[in-house]
Amino acid sequence: MKKFINQVDDVLAESLTGFASAHANIVSLNLEPHFLTRRHKAENKVAIISGGGSGHEPLHGGYIGYGMLDAACPGHVFTSPSPDQMLAAAEAVHAGKGVLFIVKNYAGDVMNFEMAAEMLPFESATVLTSDDVAVENSTYTTGRRGVAGTVIVEKVVGSLAETGADLAACKALGDKVNSRTASMGVALTSCTVPAAGRPTFDIGDTELEMGVGIHGEPGRRREPMRNADAIVADMVAAILEDLKPAAGSEVLLLVNGFAATPLMELYLLYNSAAKLLQDKGLNVTRSLVGNYITALDMAGASITICLLDDEIRQHWDSPVHTAALRWQR
Amino acid sequence: MKKFINQVDDVLAESLTGFASAHANIVSLNLEPHFLTRRHKAENKVAIISGGGSGHEPLHGGYIGYGMLDAACPGHVFTSPSPDQMLAAAEAVHAGKGVLFIVKNYAGDVMNFEMAAEMLPFESATVLTSDDVAVENSTYTTGRRGVAGTVIVEKVVGSLAETGADLAACKALGDKVNSRTASMGVALTSCTVPAAGRPTFDIGDTELEMGVGIHGEPGRRREPMRNADAIVADMVAAILEDLKPAAGSEVLLLVNGFAATPLMELYLLYNSAAKLLQDKGLNVTRSLVGNYITALDMAGASITICLLDDEIRQHWDSPVHTAALRWQR
Amino acid sequence: MRTEFILEAITAVNDVILHSETELESLDREIGDGDHFINLKRGCTTLLAMRDELASLPPADVLQRIGMKLLSTIGGASGPLIATFFMIMAKVEKAGDISSLSEIAAAFNASVEGIKQRGKANAGEKTMLDTLIPVAETFNRLAAANATPLEIFNAIQQTAEQGMLSTRDMIATKGRAAFLGERAIGHIDPGARSSQIIIHTICELAKQHHTA
Amino acid sequence: MRTEFILEAITAVNDVILHSETELESLDREIGDGDHFINLKRGCTTLLAMRDELASLPPADVLQRIGMKLLSTIGGASGPLIATFFMIMAKVEKAGDISSLSEIAAAFNASVEGIKQRGKANAGEKTMLDTLIPVAETFNRLAAANATPLEIFNAIQQTAEQGMLSTRDMIATKGRAAFLGERAIGHIDPGARSSQIIIHTICELAKQHHTA
Ligand SMILES: Nc1ncnc2c1ncn2[C@@H]1O[C@H](COP(=O)(O)OP(=O)(O)O)[C@@H](O)[C@H]1O
Ligand SMILES: Nc1ncnc2c1ncn2[C@@H]1O[C@H](COP(=O)(O)OP(=O)(O)O)[C@@H](O)[C@H]1O
Ligand SMILES: [Mg+2]
Ligand SMILES: [Mg+2]
Ligand SMILES: [Mg+2]
Ligand SMILES: [Mg+2]
C-alpha cells in the first residue's frame, strides 16, 4: 500500500483539518466529536445533515454550504459515524425548523442515525437513499444501497430547504428524488483501506466487478473486461429496467468516478451513455461528470439516472455553493 | 491495461465529445481540426488560447469560459497539438485585440505554437509556463517544464483579459505570475498511455519518483517511500529554495492530484504543506486542492506555491465560470 | 454480575480480538468492507483505557458506561448493536441485581432481543444473531434446568460455535453481505465469528472463576 | 529528386517504422513520454493514404504537401521538426531542380539547418540532430569529393549509426530527456534512432535504384 499518509490512525483527522482549512470560507470543523458545519449558520430553515463512513470524498463534507447541507458527520473510513456526532452536529445547526437526516441505506448508517434521531431533542425526519440497482430490493432484506444518487438528493433537498420549506416537504421531496433515481457501478480495481493495508479484493487484468457499491465490496458478478460501450450498455439496461421511464422522459445523467479513473475516461463513458439514452428516446437535459462519491483509490465508475420533473429540475438548477459543487444560474 | 475505452484511436474524439456535450452551456467542440471554444464568443478582449497534449484533464478544455480561456487545442495523448489547430482556434475566437497563447514549456508545444504564431494573421504573444523546480533552469537547455502553475497563470491572465486589457498587459501579467510560481511533483505509480497499453515505468511498492512531470516520464530521483510529512517537506523545500519568499509573504497553495490519488490524501497533503508554510512564517491566504492538471491514471501529486501580490490576488479572486473552476465573489 | 468480572472480561476480550486480527479482517473483506476487526479493536482499546474509572462503579453503571462508550466509538453496523446489548444489560441490572445464572441468562436474552429490534433482524440472516440467538436459548434452557455452571458454559461455547459455523452456507439478507447475493455463500459472517470468539472467551473466564 | 522515388520511400519508411514499434516505443518510454512511435506511425499512415494524390505532382509540390501534412499530423516535438525538414527541401527544390547527389546533399544540409533553428538545438544535445548533423556533413563532403553513389550511401548509413549510438552516453539538454538529467545517460535518443532508421532505409532504396 502506497498512500500519502503519516499514521494510519491520523488519516481522518489530518485530512479533515486540511479540508476545513482549504475551504475555511465555506466550512468549519469540530474535532471532538468529528463533524463539519457551514461556516456561517443558516437561519430559518430545516437543518440538513448527512454523514457516513469516510473514503467517499468529496461526499459529504464537500457538499456543505449554501443550497445543500448544513452539516456532515464523517465516520472512520467506510464506517458509519456514531450517534454522538449527529447529536452534536444537530445541536450546532438546528435553526428551529427541525432536522432532516439524509442517510445512505447501510445497516450501520441506518442504525446509528436512528439512535441519534431517537435521542435528538428536536423534531427530525430521515431520507434513506437507496439508488443502487445492483442490489435487488425486498422488504425482507437490508434493501438497496445508497450510492451516487445521494448527491442528487442532497442537492435537490438542500435547495428546497433554502426556500424555508418545512420538514415534511423536505422529507417528501427527498423520498421522491430517491424513488426516481437509479445507479449502477463497475470496478476495474479494488480499493485499499488504509488500516487494512492491502486491497479488499484481488482482480485480474482482464476482469471487472459489475454491480459494486462504494466500499470496495465485491460486486454482484465477476465478468470479463470489455469495451466501454458494452459496459455502459449493461449498466444502463439495469438502470432503465428499474426506472422504466416513459419515452421522451427528461433525465439527469451523472457519470461518477470512484477516484482513480481519469476524467478522460469518465467523459468517454458519459458520451457512450448519453448516446445510448438518446437512442432509447430519452432526453438528457442535465448532466454531471466527475468524482463526486468515491471509494478511496478504486478505479471504476457508476452511472446514475434521475427522472426529472419541473420541481426536481428547478431545485437542481438553483444556486449552490459548496467545496465540491458550485453553480449560479 | 484496463481502461474505459472503445478503440484506442477513438479515445480522444469520444472523450472530447462527451466533455462538450456534458458542458454544452459553456463550450463548443470543433472536430476537424480539434479545438474547443467558449459557447458564446467573447468580444472586445484579447483571445486567450491554450493547448497541449491530452491526458491532463481538466486542463485545458475544463478552463474554457468566462474569466479564463477562450479556446483550447487538445493534442493526442501527451502529444503537442499541431499549428493548424491553433490557427483554426484563433480564427474562431479572435476578437480584434490579438491572441495570447499560454504554452507549457515543452519542446513540442513550444515549436508547434511558435509555428502557429508565425502563420497567424493576427497580432499574438506567448506566455511560456515553466514552474517545475524539479528541472534546473538554464539558458542552454529546454529549461523547466510547465506544470500545475499553468492553471494559476490561465486563471489570473484570463481575469485580466476580461477587463479589456491589451495584449502586452496580458502577456506581462502572465510572465509575472509564472516567475512567482513554483511546483514540485511526486509519483507513486506510473501512468499508462492508452496507445502503449502498459505503464511507462515500473515502480516498486516501497518506492516513489520524486520530481516528476505530468507525462509519466521518470522523475529526477527514485527514492524510498516515506510518510506524507517527509515527502511534503522535501517538495516544499525545493519550491522555497527557488522562490525565496520574504518572511510574511502571502501565498496561494495548490495541491494538485495527478488523477488516481483520492481527495482524502490530497487534503492530508494540503494540511501538511499549509502547516509547514505557516511554521516557516508564510501566510497561506488562497488555496486550491484537487485534480486540476493530471497525468492520465497516475497516482501522485504536486505542490505549487504562487507568491501573491494585490494584482494577482485580485485576479485570482475574480469570478470564473468554466467546467472545472468556478467561483463568484 | 460483578464489576471486577466485567473488567477482567474486558482485558481477556481485548487480548483475543487482537489475536484474531487476520481472521476477522479477512472475513469482513470477503463479504463486507474489511473494517470489522478495526471497529472492534477501537472499541476494546477505549474500554481498556476506561478500566480504572469503571473500577469503583456499581455493575449497572459500568454496563451503561460501556454501552454509551461503545456506541460513540465503534460506529458501523456492529457499534449500535453491541452498544444496545450493554445498554439493555445495564437496564436489567439496574432494575434488580443480576446474580444467579438464570438471571444472567434472562438478561442476556433481553439484550439479544434488543439487538434483534435495533437491527430488524432474526436468526438465519447471516449475522451475529446466528451466534447470539441459539446461545441465548441454550443459556436459558440449561439455567432453567439447573445444569451446573460448567455444563452451561461448555454448552454455550458449543452452541456459539455451531451458530457461527451455520452462517457459512447462508445467503445474507441483512448487513453488507446481503449486497452479494449468492456470492456470500461459503463465507462465515464476521460478526457471527467475533461474537462467538467473545462468548467463548468470557465462558473460559467464567469457568476459571467457578472452579477457583 | 523524383516524385516516384519519394513515393517509394514513403512505403519503405512506413514498413520499417511499423517494424520498429517495440524499440521506438520503449526508447521514448525510457527517457521521454512513450509516444514517439505513435507519432511517427500517424505521420506514415497519412502519407501512405496520400500517395495517389501526390503521384501526379512535381517533386517540389510533393515535398511541400508532405511537410504541411506532417505538420498537422505528427504533433509533439518531432512533428514540427520533420515538417520543417520537408518544407525547406520543397523550397530548395522549387528554387531549381535538385538532381545531382551534391545538390541533394546541399538541400539536405539546408533542411537540417532548418531543424536546428526550429529546435534551437545543435549536435551533442541528445536529439535527432546527433544523427542528422553528421549525416549532412558526410553527405556533402563525399558528394563534393565525387565519391560514387554506393560509397556515399554506405558512408551515410555508417555515419547515421555512429551518430545515433553517440547519443547513448549524452546528457540531454533539449527535448524531454533534458528533464531527466543524469538519468538519461545509457539510453539512446528515440528521435536519433528513428532518423537513423529512416535514413538507412532510404539509402538502401537509393542503392537499389543506382544499381538497377
Ligand atoms: N441488521 C443487523 N442485525 C444484526 N447484525 C448485523 C446487522 N447488520 C450487520 N450486522 C452484523 O455486523 C457485522 C459487520 O460489522 P462491521 O463490519 O463492524 O460494520 P459494517 O458492516 O458497517 O462495516 C456483520 O458481520 C453482521 O454480523
Ligand atoms: N529541440 C529539439 N531539437 C531537435 N530534436 C528534438 C528537440 N526536442 C526534441 N527533439 C527530438 O524529438 C524526439 C521526441 O519526439 P516525440 O516523442 O515524437 O515528441 P515529444 O517529445 O513531444 O513526445 C526526441 O527523441 C528528440 O530526438
Ligand atoms: Mg464498515
Ligand atoms: Mg509526446
Ligand atoms: Mg465492516
Ligand atoms: Mg515522445
Side-chain angles (χ1 to χ4, degrees):
Chain A
M1 174 186 68
K2 282 197 290 188
K3 288 183 187 286
F4 292 117
I5 61 175
N6 292 304
Q7 303 294 324
V8 167
D9 288 344
D10 300 335
V11 171
L12 187 59
E14 291 180 11
S15 179
L16 286 172
T17 306
F19 173 76
S21 95
H23 302 287
N25 54 339
I26 302 178
V27 300
S28 296
L29 171 66
N30 189 80
L31 275 174
E32 288 282 336
H34 284 352
F35 67 88
L36 291 150
T37 63
R38 293 193 195 182
R39 176 63 189 259
H40 302 289
K41 185 180 168 184
E43 297 297 344
N44 270 317
K45 68 183 284 290
V46 171
I48 314 280
I49 302 181
S50 191
S54 292
H56 308 301
E57 292 68 25
L59 189 90
H60 295 274
Y63 302 125
I64 292 174
Y66 181 81
M68 230 163 150
L69 303 180
D70 292 282
C73 303
H76 291 272
V77 171
F78 291 173
T79 301
S80 165
S82 50
D84 52 317
Q85 297 174 255
M86 287 70 119
L87 291 170
E91 191 68 58
V93 300
H94 182 251
K97 299 196 69 169
V99 173
L100 183 72
F101 292 119
I102 299 179
V103 181
K104 302 188 296 302
N105 187 34
Y106 297 93
D109 296 73
V110 171
M111 290 188 279
N112 281 286
F113 273 91
E114 206 172 76
M115 291 184 83
E118 289 166 12
M119 300 182 214
L120 202 67
F122 318 117
E123 195 194 2
S124 76
T126 299
V127 172
L128 274 188
T129 64
S130 57
D131 51 312
D132 188 352
V133 299
V135 180
E136 281 130 58
N137 226 347
S138 152
T139 39
Y140 301 107
T141 68
T142 295
R144 288 183 184 177
R145 297 176 282 222
V147 288
T150 309
V151 177
I152 304 174
V153 172
E154 293 181 0
K155 167 70 184 81
V156 170
V157 174
S159 164
L160 177 64
E162 223 60 71
T163 68
D166 68 13
L167 186 59
C170 291
K171 152 92 176 145
L173 181 59
D175 287 341
K176 178 171 97 171
V177 174
N178 182 58
S179 73
R180 297 169 68 100
T181 301
S183 301
M184 182 80 177
V186 60
L188 302 190
T189 68
S190 171
C191 56
T192 299
V193 176
R198 44 161 288 184
T200 306
F201 59 80
D202 294 318
I203 184 162
D205 224 31
T206 57
E207 302 173 311
L208 57 78
E209 279 283 335
M210 181 56 82
V212 294
I214 51 172
H215 297 89
E217 61 279 62
R220 289 308 294 258
R221 291 178 299 279
R222 175 71 51 109
E223 297 179 351
M225 180 65 191
R226 46 205 188 281
N227 73 29
D229 285 346
I231 295 170
V232 166
D234 290 350
M235 295 168 83
V236 167
I239 292 169
L240 295 184
E241 195 180 304
D242 180 79
L243 287 178
K244 299 199 184 14
S249 295
E250 187 190 345
V251 303
L252 183 164
L253 172 58
L254 159 56
V255 174
N256 173 63
F258 288 147
T261 291
L263 273 183
M264 178 179 250
E265 294 175 47
L266 296 181
Y267 281 117
L268 191 149
L269 291 174
Y270 178 85
N271 183 52
S272 176
K275 271 202 208 133
L276 190 61
L277 293 179
Q278 205 182 341
D279 289 351
K280 291 189 187 287
L282 296 171
N283 190 10
V284 181
T285 65
R286 295 295 182 277
S287 63
L288 193 66
V289 183
N291 294 293
Y292 289 101
I293 164 165
T294 60
L296 288 174
D297 53 356
M298 184 182 263
S302 61
I303 294 177
T304 300
I305 294 173
C306 171
L307 299 178
L308 296 174
D309 63 11
D310 289 346
E311 185 185 26
I312 301 177
R313 187 190 334 95
Q314 173 208 324
H315 288 297
W316 177 257
D317 285 348
S318 68
V320 59
H321 188 85
T322 68
L325 210 63
R326 202 176 289 178
W327 59 70
Q328 197 96 25
R329 295 207 189 209
Chain B
M1 173 186 68
K2 281 196 291 186
K3 288 183 188 287
F4 292 116
I5 61 175
N6 292 303
Q7 304 294 324
V8 166
D9 287 345
D10 300 335
V11 172
L12 186 59
E14 291 181 11
S15 179
L16 286 172
T17 306
F19 173 76
S21 95
H23 301 287
N25 54 339
I26 302 179
V27 299
S28 296
L29 170 66
N30 190 80
L31 275 175
E32 289 282 336
H34 284 353
F35 66 88
L36 293 150
T37 63
R38 294 193 195 182
R39 176 63 187 259
H40 302 290
K41 185 181 167 184
E43 297 296 344
N44 271 319
K45 68 182 283 291
V46 171
I48 313 279
I49 302 181
S50 191
S54 292
H56 308 301
E57 292 70 24
L59 190 88
H60 296 274
Y63 302 126
I64 292 174
Y66 181 82
M68 228 163 152
L69 303 180
D70 291 282
C73 303
H76 290 272
V77 170
F78 291 174
T79 301
S80 165
S82 50
D84 53 316
Q85 297 175 256
M86 287 70 119
L87 290 171
E91 191 68 56
V93 301
H94 182 250
K97 299 196 70 169
V99 173
L100 184 71
F101 292 119
I102 298 180
V103 181
K104 303 188 295 301
N105 187 34
Y106 297 94
D109 296 73
V110 170
M111 291 187 278
N112 282 287
F113 273 92
E114 206 172 75
M115 290 183 83
E118 288 166 13
M119 301 182 214
L120 200 69
F122 318 118
E123 195 193 1
S124 78
T126 298
V127 172
L128 275 189
T129 63
S130 56
D131 52 311
D132 187 352
V133 299
V135 180
E136 280 129 60
N137 227 346
S138 151
T139 38
Y140 303 107
T141 68
T142 295
R144 287 182 184 180
R145 297 176 283 224
V147 289
T150 309
V151 177
I152 304 173
V153 172
E154 292 181 0
K155 168 68 185 81
V156 170
V157 175
S159 164
L160 177 64
E162 224 58 73
T163 67
D166 68 13
L167 186 58
C170 291
K171 151 93 176 143
L173 180 59
D175 287 341
K176 178 171 100 170
V177 175
N178 183 58
S179 73
R180 296 169 69 98
T181 301
S183 300
M184 182 80 178
V186 60
L188 301 190
T189 68
S190 171
C191 56
T192 298
V193 176
R198 42 162 288 184
T200 305
F201 60 81
D202 294 318
I203 184 163
D205 225 31
T206 56
E207 300 174 313
L208 56 79
E209 279 283 335
M210 181 56 82
V212 293
I214 51 173
H215 298 88
E217 62 278 62
R220 290 307 297 256
R221 291 178 298 278
R222 176 71 52 106
E223 297 179 351
M225 181 64 190
R226 47 205 188 280
N227 74 27
D229 284 346
I231 294 170
V232 166
D234 289 350
M235 295 168 83
V236 167
I239 292 169
L240 295 184
E241 194 180 305
D242 179 80
L243 286 179
K244 299 201 184 11
S249 296
E250 187 190 344
V251 304
L252 183 165
L253 173 59
L254 160 56
V255 174
N256 173 63
F258 288 146
T261 291
L263 274 183
M264 179 179 248
E265 293 175 48
L266 296 181
Y267 282 117
L268 190 148
L269 291 175
Y270 178 84
N271 183 52
S272 176
K275 271 202 209 134
L276 191 60
L277 293 179
Q278 204 182 341
D279 289 350
K280 290 189 188 286
L282 296 171
N283 190 10
V284 182
T285 65
R286 295 295 182 276
S287 63
L288 193 66
V289 183
N291 294 292
Y292 289 101
I293 164 165
T294 59
L296 289 174
D297 54 356
M298 183 182 262
S302 61
I303 294 177
T304 300
I305 293 172
C306 171
L307 300 179
L308 295 174
D309 63 12
D310 289 345
E311 186 185 25
I312 301 176
R313 187 190 333 95
Q314 174 208 326
H315 288 296
W316 176 257
D317 285 348
S318 68
V320 60
H321 188 84
T322 68
L325 209 64
R326 204 177 286 178
W327 58 72
Q328 197 95 26
R329 291 205 194 217
Chain C
M1 206 161 286
R2 289 180 305 113
T3 295
E4 200 180 41
F5 182 79
I6 300 173
L7 298 185
E8 270 184 62
I10 289 175
T11 312
V13 167
N14 176 66
D15 284 351
V16 71
I17 290 296
L18 292 185
H19 276 99
S20 313
E21 168 161 6
T22 323
E23 185 193 355
L24 291 177
E25 199 170 278
S26 71
L27 288 178
D28 198 34
R29 203 161 43 218
E30 280 155 14
I31 59 167
D33 58 353
D35 63 354
H36 187 57
F37 166 74
I38 309 274
N39 293 346
L40 292 180
K41 181 183 163 188
R42 209 166 38 238
C44 289
T45 307
T46 322
L47 293 190
L48 219 57
M50 282 174 80
R51 273 178 316 172
D52 286 355
E53 154 199 342
L54 296 175
S56 55
L57 299 177
D61 290 4
V62 170
L63 293 166
Q64 177 64 17
R65 293 240 188 146
I66 288 177
M68 289 307 292
K69 195 70 188 182
L70 291 180
L71 184 62
S72 64
T73 316
I74 300 186
S78 48
L81 296 172
I82 299 174
T84 296
F85 183 95
F86 282 97
M87 282 151 74
I88 294 180
M89 270 283 182
K91 217 182 275 172
V92 180
E93 168 78 32
K94 190 117 207 159
D97 231 37
I98 331 177
S99 45
S100 74
L101 274 176
S102 60
E103 282 166 340
I104 297 183
F108 187 91
N109 197 58
S111 303
V112 171
E113 279 301 319
I115 291 184
K116 285 163 70 174
Q117 276 169 36
R118 177 56 64 199
K120 301 188 182 63
N122 217 316
E125 305 208 68
K126 197 171 183 122
T127 70
M128 60 174 71
L129 287 169
D130 292 307
T131 299
L132 297 175
I133 292 174
V135 163
E137 192 274 329
T138 300
F139 197 176
N140 278 283
R141 187 169 37 79
L142 293 194
N146 275 319
T148 67
L150 191 66
E151 281 169 353
I152 293 178
F153 297 133
N154 283 337
I156 287 178
Q157 288 179 323
Q158 215 183 315
T159 306
E161 179 150 353
Q162 281 164 3
M164 176 271 288
L165 289 174
S166 75
T167 63
R168 194 196 310 259
D169 297 327
M170 292 178 186
I171 291 190
T173 45
K174 293 284 153 64
R176 287 178 192 283
F179 305 139
L180 292 182
E182 305 262 313
R183 285 181 90 174
I185 292 176
H187 302 273
I188 287 169
D189 176 65
R193 174 66 169 138
S194 63
S195 321
Q196 179 263 322
I197 290 174
I198 294 168
I199 287 169
H200 183 90
T201 305
I202 294 176
C203 284
E204 283 301 304
L205 197 68
K207 283 194 260 178
Q208 282 167 29
H209 277 258
H210 276 272
T211 42
Chain D
M1 205 161 288
R2 289 179 306 112
T3 296
E4 201 181 40
F5 182 81
I6 300 173
L7 298 186
E8 272 184 60
I10 288 175
T11 312
V13 167
N14 177 66
D15 284 351
V16 71
I17 289 296
L18 291 186
H19 277 99
S20 313
E21 168 162 4
T22 324
E23 185 193 354
L24 290 177
E25 199 170 279
S26 72
L27 288 179
D28 197 35
R29 205 164 39 221
E30 280 156 14
I31 58 167
D33 57 353
D35 62 356
H36 187 57
F37 165 74
I38 309 273
N39 292 346
L40 293 181
K41 181 183 166 189
R42 208 164 42 235
C44 289
T45 307
T46 322
L47 292 191
L48 219 55
M50 282 175 79
R51 272 178 318 170
D52 287 353
E53 154 198 342
L54 295 175
S56 55
L57 299 177
D61 290 5
V62 170
L63 293 167
Q64 176 64 16
R65 293 240 189 143
I66 289 177
M68 289 307 292
K69 195 69 187 182
L70 292 180
L71 183 63
S72 64
T73 317
I74 301 186
S78 47
L81 295 172
I82 298 174
T84 296
F85 182 94
F86 282 97
M87 283 151 74
I88 294 181
M89 269 283 182
K91 216 182 275 172
V92 179
E93 168 79 31
K94 189 116 205 163
D97 233 37
I98 333 177
S99 45
S100 74
L101 274 176
S102 61
E103 281 166 343
I104 298 183
F108 187 91
N109 197 57
S111 303
V112 172
E113 279 301 319
I115 292 184
K116 285 163 70 175
Q117 274 167 38
R118 177 56 65 199
K120 300 190 181 64
N122 216 317
E125 305 207 70
K126 198 172 183 121
T127 71
M128 59 174 73
L129 287 170
D130 292 306
T131 298
L132 298 174
I133 292 174
V135 163
E137 193 275 325
T138 298
F139 196 176
N140 278 284
R141 186 166 40 76
L142 293 195
N146 276 320
T148 66
L150 191 68
E151 281 169 354
I152 293 179
F153 297 132
N154 283 338
I156 286 177
Q157 288 179 323
Q158 215 183 314
T159 306
E161 179 152 351
Q162 280 164 4
M164 175 272 287
L165 290 174
S166 75
T167 63
R168 193 194 310 257
D169 296 328
M170 293 178 185
I171 290 190
T173 46
K174 293 286 152 63
R176 287 179 192 283
F179 304 140
L180 293 181
E182 306 261 314
R183 285 180 88 173
I185 291 176
H187 301 274
I188 287 170
D189 176 65
R193 174 65 170 140
S194 62
S195 322
Q196 180 263 321
I197 290 174
I198 294 169
I199 287 168
H200 182 90
T201 304
I202 295 177
C203 284
E204 284 299 304
L205 196 67
K207 283 195 258 180
Q208 282 166 30
H209 277 258
H210 276 272
T211 42

